[in-house]
Amino acid sequence: MIAFNSVLLAVLTLCASACNQSDPEIPSQPNEAFWKISSTVSFAEGSSAIIITGTTGTEWSAEITEGKAWCSFSSTDFVNATVKKGTVKDGLNVLYVYYKANTGLEERKANLSFAFAGESPQMFELTQLSKEQVNLPSFKAWAELPAAKENANYQYATHYTSLSNQRIRNYSICFDKTRKAALWVAYPLHNAYLNGSGGRTDAWAFDPIVPFIYQPNCVERSYKGNYDRGHQLPSADRVATNEMNAQTFYMSNMTPQLDRLNQDMWARLETKVRANKCSDTLYVVTGAYFGANVTTTADGAGSTVPIPTNYFKVLLRTKSGTTGKQIKDCSESELISMGVWVEHRSYGNIDPPRSICMSVAEIESKTGFTFFPQVAAAVKQQNNPTQWGIN
């Protein structure tokens, strides 16, 4: 028995040695740095953050090259803290960027240089809005935008994002301060917004443009009851960069949406819409409608918020998808459009039914908004679900 135990011990020792010798090295992680939420911040003093990921032990350095008078890596020292060095550590690595309040009448920009050891530096631009700035959408220029309506309770705004060193529009909103929700969110959909190194960030945050008091507070937790933090612009439509995606998690893009609608039929509808992207760009408006007998729930902080009675989408693109033309330059025969009108209830885990489909003109009649004002009325009378992959 003793001899057997000795042999067994020797075998186990050899196996352990062999296993240790064959264990692969821990793979290195790609070195990346990106804004945690957005490169655009409000006029008030505060801080933003750059997330750093990479191989443990990699050294990095950062420098504020423009905007040193109001931007710093220290909340208390805006004179000497414009350069910072560090090493990638296990876990979360965050570089905080602090900024003073903008008391001027115009937005201002700071530039930051960040580099991992042995790699070329990458540039980060931080835009701070002025107190009076609202970032109004370009209503006459962008095909996806509904016509503006004068209403003291409405706030219009556009969120911009950086892509390939250019500032492009991400999406625009018509936010109703009394509903604590956007009545519509308008956005272009193209491969440029879908292809890249980004992903779902879950970066729940307040919109820096809309005053906090009008937004639902679901930053830490969702609405009460069986309601999700329902995106109007889907997270999956903006995955080219992390900044682009993080902006979809602004509270201004959320409504209390029944979980079994949001995760089932509505999610399948979003996938159908995404499948209709084209080289010419697909233009989308998603909206929340508050009809008769509106009920309420509470946001994550316990404040009362109304629940939409319906949701809608209106879609516009060129029929071929490859004309190379702007919408305003297309003939009626070159364009297709459609709308969907959804009751705020569970439809089951099914594909979008034809029964929710209607013309854009019909949704204009229901909501009071004028969609796609650049196109002729005849285009907005179309209702051909099969053309959009809904059977």
Side-chain angles (χ1 to χ4, degrees), residues 200 204 216 218 221-232 249 251 253-267 270 297-300 305-308 311 344:
R200 184 181 174 95
W204 308 100
C218 291
R221 59 187 64 85
S222 188
Y223 299 92
K224 305 298 182 184
N226 297 322
Y227 294 101
D228 289 344
R229 291 173 284 194
H231 288 63
Q232 295 205 57
F249 287 88
M251 294 297 100
N253 189 40
M254 301 299 139
T255 67
Q257 191 170 45
L258 190 66
D259 53 4
R260 293 276 54 90
L261 173 61
N262 181 46
Q263 299 171 38
D264 295 337
M265 192 278 283
W266 186 260
E270 291 175 335
T297 184
D299 64 16
V305 292
I307 301 170
Y311 290 96
H344 197 174

Side-chain angles (χ1 to χ4, degrees), residues 286-303:
T286 300
Y289 180 75
F290 298 84
N293 302 317
V294 169
T295 58
T296 63
T297 184
D299 64 16
S303 298

Side-chain angles (χ1 to χ4, degrees), residues 55-293:
T55 303
T56 301
T58 302
E59 296 180 346
W60 57 263
S61 60
E63 180 181 2
I64 296 171
T65 58
E66 184 179 339
K68 296 180 180 181
W70 57 275
C71 198
S72 172
F73 295 126
S74 168
S75 61
T76 57
D77 188 350
F78 281 79
V79 177
N80 303 305
T82 58
V83 175
K84 192 175 181 68
K85 296 182 178 181
T87 302
V88 177
K89 301 177 181 179
D90 290 333
L92 184 66
N93 293 261
V94 183
L95 173 61
Y96 288 99
V97 182
Y98 300 90
Y99 45 86
K100 296 179 180 179
N102 184 3
T103 57
L105 299 178
E106 303 291 336
E107 69 177 38
R108 57 186 181 182
K109 299 182 185 296
N111 288 318
L112 295 77
S113 174
F114 182 94
F116 291 99
E119 298 184 15
S120 299
Q122 60 184 110
M123 300 303 298
F124 289 86
E125 185 178 77
L126 180 70
T127 301
Q128 186 181 32
L129 304 175
S130 68
K131 186 174 183 179
E132 303 302 324
Q133 192 171 10
V134 292
N135 266 27
L136 286 175
S138 297
F139 282 103
K140 295 183 179 180
W142 301 337
E144 75 272 14
L145 291 176
K149 290 180 63 175
E150 291 295 329
N151 189 311
N153 294 320
Y154 294 176
Q155 179 175 344
Y156 297 102
T158 294
H159 290 293
Y160 294 88
T161 186
S162 299
L163 185 66
S164 301
N165 296 320
Q166 293 185 342
R167 189 179 188 229
I168 65 169
R169 70 186 185 275
N170 198 358
Y171 63 95
S172 302
I173 61 173
C174 172
F175 190 85
D176 188 337
K177 299 172 185 177
T178 65
R179 302 292 190 184
K180 291 192 172 184
L183 298 183
W184 55 252
V185 178
Y187 47 97
L189 190 55
H190 188 276
N191 277 336
Y193 294 94
L194 298 170
N195 297 336
S197 60
R200 184 181 174 95
T201 60
D202 286 304
W204 308 100
F206 287 108
D207 188 324
I209 299 177
V210 178
F212 293 170
I213 59 172
Y214 300 122
Q215 299 182 56
N217 186 348
C218 291
V219 174
E220 299 297 331
R221 59 187 64 85
S222 188
Y223 299 92
K224 305 298 182 184
N226 297 322
Y227 294 101
D228 289 344
R229 291 173 284 194
H231 288 63
Q232 295 205 57
L233 166 59
S235 164
D237 283 3
R238 292 293 189 266
V239 290
T241 69
N242 284 294
E243 177 191 0
M244 185 183 291
N245 183 265
Q247 291 180 357
T248 71
F249 287 88
Y250 285 159
M251 294 297 100
S252 59
N253 189 40
M254 301 299 139
T255 67
Q257 191 170 45
L258 190 66
D259 53 4
R260 293 276 54 90
L261 173 61
N262 181 46
Q263 299 171 38
D264 295 337
M265 192 278 283
W266 186 260
R268 292 184 179 223
L269 174 61
E270 291 175 335
T271 300
K272 287 281 188 183
V273 171
R274 207 155 34 245
N276 281 279
K277 67 183 186 298
C278 62
S279 296
D280 282 342
T281 302
L282 169 66
Y283 298 98
V284 186
V285 184
T286 300
Y289 180 75
F290 298 84
N293 302 317

